[in-house]
């Protein structure tokens, strides 16, 4: 069965620090998709990135970067030069191509607090 | 435009009330979802509609009744709820559902429900 683990429950940093959010997943499928979502206090989940299991290239988008390593089943998310607006709960999620359910499995989330 | 709208933003209801939550998207997506999210927990899938037909019901109690009048609208009818049903209810949509697991889900801002 699929599983997503976000071991960091809460992280607190000071503005301009870099921070990495960890995500470890388990799946038996060879084809799967990994996602990161941001949930600010307002409640809406904001889509950040989708990565398929055949694409291990790291991705950078502005201050955000993602490191996908199949060898360690990890899909970590780094925010460079963090800002107060980055304060939110971040969820990593997994979707498998092979199961009939076709549903997102979410990790438990990491709450990031960026202090000014 | 990746906007999913939900109304109302907040709802307080008694255990004998009947109310409805509404969700709308205009992205041409053919799959729509209801999630329930308790505080400090990840979203939990409740229902999936694909091409206006219910395709997944995650064993949700019958006091929650979904309805998909057309491809842009999704309702959740509530009746005889319990205080433990108090939560954030999130709607999401995606291009399709069930093809490969690759579809990105876009979420609305949610309805915060309090059952007294």
């Amino acid at each position: 069965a699929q599983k997503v683990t976000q071991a960091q429950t809460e992280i607190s940093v000071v503005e301009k620090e870099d921070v990495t959010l960890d995500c470890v997943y388990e799946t038996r499928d060879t084809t799967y998709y990994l996602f990161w979502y941001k949930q600010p206090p307002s409640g809406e989940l904001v889509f950040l990135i989708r990565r398929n299991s055949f694409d291990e290239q790291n991705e950078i988008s502005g201050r955000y970067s993602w490191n996908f390593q199949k060898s360690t089943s990890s899909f970590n998310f780094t925010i460079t030069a963090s800002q107060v607006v980055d304060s939110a709960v971040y969820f990593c999620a997994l979707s498998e191509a092979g199961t009939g359910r076709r549903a997102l499995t979410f990790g438990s989330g990491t709450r990031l607090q960026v202090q000014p | 435009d990746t906007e999913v709208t939900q109304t109302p933003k907040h709802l307080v209801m008694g255990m004998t009330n009947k109310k409805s939550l509404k969700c709308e998207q205009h992205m041409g997506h053919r799959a729509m979802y209801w999630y329930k999210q308790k505080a400090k927990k990840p979203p939990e899938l409740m229902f999936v509609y694909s091409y206006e037909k219910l395709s997944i019901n995650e064993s949700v109690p019958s006091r929650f009744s979904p309805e998909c009048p057309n491809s842009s609208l999704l309702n959740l009818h509530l009746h005889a709820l319990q205080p433990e049903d108090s939560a954030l209810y999130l709607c999401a949509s995606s291009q399709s559902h069930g093809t490969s697991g690759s579809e990105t889900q876009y979420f609305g801002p949610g309805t915060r429900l309090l059952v007294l």
Side-chain angles (χ1 to χ4, degrees):
Chain A
Q2 65 272 36
K3 185 180 176 183
V4 176
T5 301
Q6 294 180 256
Q8 303 151 308
T9 307
E10 190 160 340
I11 301 175
S12 183
V13 299
V14 177
E15 217 172 8
K16 297 185 184 173
E17 283 185 30
D18 299 347
V19 58
T20 296
L21 310 182
D22 297 334
C23 173
V24 174
Y25 62 90
E26 295 176 29
T27 176
R28 291 185 183 150
D29 274 6
T30 55
T31 303
Y32 52 89
Y33 299 84
L34 295 162
F35 302 80
W36 276 96
Y37 284 89
K38 172 183 180 181
Q39 189 174 38
S42 58
E44 178 177 355
L45 269 83
V46 178
F47 166 70
L48 296 178
I49 189 171
R50 182 187 75 194
R51 173 68 68 218
N52 75 55
S53 52
F54 299 108
D55 182 1
E56 287 194 72
Q57 276 194 326
N58 291 331
E59 179 147 344
I60 297 175
S61 176
R63 297 184 296 106
Y64 294 171
S65 62
W66 291 268
N67 182 355
F68 177 30
Q69 293 200 334
K70 284 177 78 169
S71 60
T72 56
S73 297
S74 65
F75 186 42
N76 296 338
F77 172 32
T78 297
I79 302 174
T80 303
S82 59
Q83 299 177 2
V84 173
V85 294
D86 296 326
S87 297
V89 179
Y90 291 86
F91 290 99
C92 179
L94 166 72
S95 178
E96 296 172 319
T99 66
R101 189 167 169 266
R102 304 278 195 275
L104 284 175
T105 297
F106 285 93
S108 56
T110 296
R111 181 177 300 275
L112 174 65
Q113 293 197 339
V114 181
Q115 310 287 349
Chain B
D1 184 8
T2 56
E3 188 177 68
V4 177
T5 58
Q6 289 186 244
T7 55
K9 284 188 166 44
H10 301 272
L11 179 62
V12 179
M13 60 186 290
M15 289 189 284
T16 58
N17 291 158
K18 284 186 182 180
K19 296 285 185 185
S20 296
L21 309 185
K22 296 187 186 304
C23 174
E24 192 167 3
Q25 57 88 13
H26 293 290
M27 295 178 279
H29 289 174
R30 302 313 301 266
M32 295 186 78
Y33 309 74
W34 279 116
Y35 287 83
K36 174 182 178 178
Q37 187 179 22
K38 302 283 278 184
K40 297 184 187 284
K41 296 288 187 184
E44 296 174 11
L45 183 66
M46 300 174 72
F47 303 104
V48 181
Y49 272 83
S50 178
Y51 290 86
E52 299 157 50
K53 289 190 179 353
L54 184 65
S55 64
I56 294 179
N57 176 343
E58 292 285 276
S59 303
V60 178
S62 59
R63 57 186 185 269
F64 294 92
S65 175
E67 178 196 19
C68 190
N70 60 57
S71 59
S72 301
L73 289 173
L74 185 66
N75 298 322
L76 186 63
H77 302 298
L78 314 173
H79 174 54
L81 294 194
Q82 305 296 310
E84 59 264 29
D85 296 322
S86 299
L88 177 68
Y89 288 84
L90 292 160
C91 173
S93 71
S94 64
Q95 288 271 36
S96 61
H97 175 260
T99 52
S100 66
S102 66
E103 302 87 1
T104 297
Q105 293 181 32
Y106 296 93
F107 286 79
T111 294
R112 292 193 186 274
L113 174 66
L114 178 61
V115 182
L116 300 175

